[in-house]
Amino acid sequence: EILGTVNVLVCMMRWDASSPPIDQAQLNQVMQEVREWYREVSYGQAFIASQYAGNTLWTGPYPENNLGELTAAIETCDPEVDFNSIDAMIIFPGLTSGGSGDVGNYASVVTQDGILEELNVIRIGQDYFNKYVIGHELGHQPFNLPHANALECNSFSFRENYPSQCQLLEYGNLFSIMGFASYGGHFVGWTKHIAGKWLDVQLITSDGQYPLHVLETPSSTYPQTLRIPFSESSLSLEYRKTILQDERINQQLQLEAWPDALPLNGCLI
């Protein structure tokens, strides 16, 4: 779990002579948006601090894989950075990002500051340096959150037929940035608890009436997630409103309508 400051290095890479200098001011604006997103989502309990290095022409061999790219980025940015103080490094643009972005965790990384036990690395594609992609990838590392998925069960009973009659839809939860990143929704309540115990969770063990505070704003009175035991795991219940960062979800749905890939019935998120 993470509380307090998360130090993020943005390592700016110019991979060939045709690459113009990166506009650091523009990147800084995006990181400010990321900082505000995490401040709201964590109720002020997680602060994203960013610093920048690199932006010089890389003259070494062109990386052919993730490790080669990491080695080049460290060689470029190491002279300006104390890696012992870094929680995550963003390589931008990432050559091996697979599109928008991806993450990796590396052990025994050699730097001028010594050998790091581990280093969280995020690669962001050339056209994807925005708060939604970066917010999503930071959710993976260093907050260790999985994708927000969905189960499509159609007209079948989830309880009686899971998993044989249900299909897992990766990224299927459009209400979380860990699902539909471009909608920019809050982390779901249970993953907020995993990330940093940013909210109170109440375990439900008997029938009854239970108060539940809206997810988007902090509460010192009522829980914001209810956990209901189910099989070997649990189901979670939360209350959402179209306010603050979650207002964008409603705006996107009005613009795009419900995504064709998601069902209207029988979907558990």
Side-chain angles (χ1 to χ4, degrees):
E1 67 185 62
I2 295 178
L3 297 171
T5 300
V6 177
N7 292 305
V8 178
L9 166 66
V10 180
C11 183
M12 300 173 288
M13 299 298 297
R14 295 175 58 201
W15 292 109
D16 56 57
S18 64
S19 301
I22 297 170
D23 186 346
Q24 183 175 322
Q26 185 176 7
L27 301 193
N28 189 55
Q29 176 60 39
V30 172
M31 292 306 296
Q32 176 63 29
E33 295 173 358
V34 172
R35 185 176 303 115
E36 288 301 311
W37 190 91
Y38 271 91
R39 180 196 57 78
E40 178 183 306
V41 169
S42 69
Y43 317 113
Q45 297 175 79
F47 178 80
I48 306 297
S50 55
Q51 58 179 295
Y52 307 86
N55 213 6
T56 56
L57 183 63
W58 170 249
T59 57
Y62 205 75
E64 297 181 355
N65 51 41
N66 290 352
L67 187 57
E69 182 179 50
L70 173 61
T71 301
I74 289 177
E75 183 175 332
T76 298
C77 293
D78 204 353
E80 305 173 57
V81 177
D82 180 1
F83 270 94
N84 291 309
S85 66
I86 299 301
D87 297 302
M89 177 172 72
I90 295 174
I91 301 175
F92 176 74
L95 297 177
T96 58
S97 62
S100 57
D102 70 1
V103 296
N105 181 271
Y106 296 85
S108 302
V109 177
V110 178
T111 73
Q112 294 179 7
D113 308 302
I115 299 177
L116 307 179
E117 290 187 9
E118 64 174 6
L119 179 63
N120 298 308
V121 178
I122 299 170
R123 302 173 183 85
I124 300 296
Q126 177 68 57
D127 299 321
Y128 295 95
F129 200 95
N130 60 67
K131 75 173 182 179
Y132 306 112
V133 173
I134 294 173
H136 175 100
E137 301 301 350
L138 284 173
H140 286 312
Q141 298 288 353
F143 290 98
N144 296 315
L145 300 182
H147 285 145
N149 301 324
L151 282 173
E152 180 184 357
C153 301
N154 295 312
S155 60
F156 294 100
S157 165
F158 172 75
R159 178 174 293 277
E160 295 178 359
N161 293 282
Y162 174 75
S164 61
Q165 300 293 344
C166 297
Q167 177 185 1
L168 179 68
L169 303 177
E170 191 169 15
Y171 305 98
N173 186 345
L174 60 84
F175 296 98
S176 170
I177 200 171
M178 298 309 293
F180 272 46
S182 62
Y183 283 23
H186 276 229
F187 294 146
V188 299
W190 179 241
T191 55
K192 289 192 183 193
H193 183 74
I194 294 173
K197 291 186 170 56
W198 299 332
L199 49 65
D200 288 332
V201 175
Q202 182 175 354
L203 180 65
I204 304 302
T205 57
S206 61
D207 293 343
Q209 295 182 347
Y210 298 90
L212 187 61
H213 191 274
V214 66
L215 182 72
E216 290 87 356
T217 61
S219 173
S220 59
T221 306
Y222 298 119
Q224 290 168 279
T225 298
L226 304 180
R227 290 283 282 178
I228 305 169
F230 175 80
S231 185
E232 297 179 358
S233 185
S234 296
L235 302 178
S236 295
L237 183 66
E238 63 192 39
Y239 171 36
R240 295 261 189 152
K241 296 181 73 174
T242 54
I243 59 175
L244 302 174
Q245 296 287 347
D246 276 359
E247 184 178 4
R248 178 177 168 83
I249 299 172
N250 188 51
Q251 294 170 346
Q252 292 298 105
L253 286 175
Q254 290 179 359
L255 288 172
E256 303 176 12
W258 190 274
D260 293 337
L262 297 181
L264 291 174
N265 299 302
C267 187
L268 184 70
I269 57 177

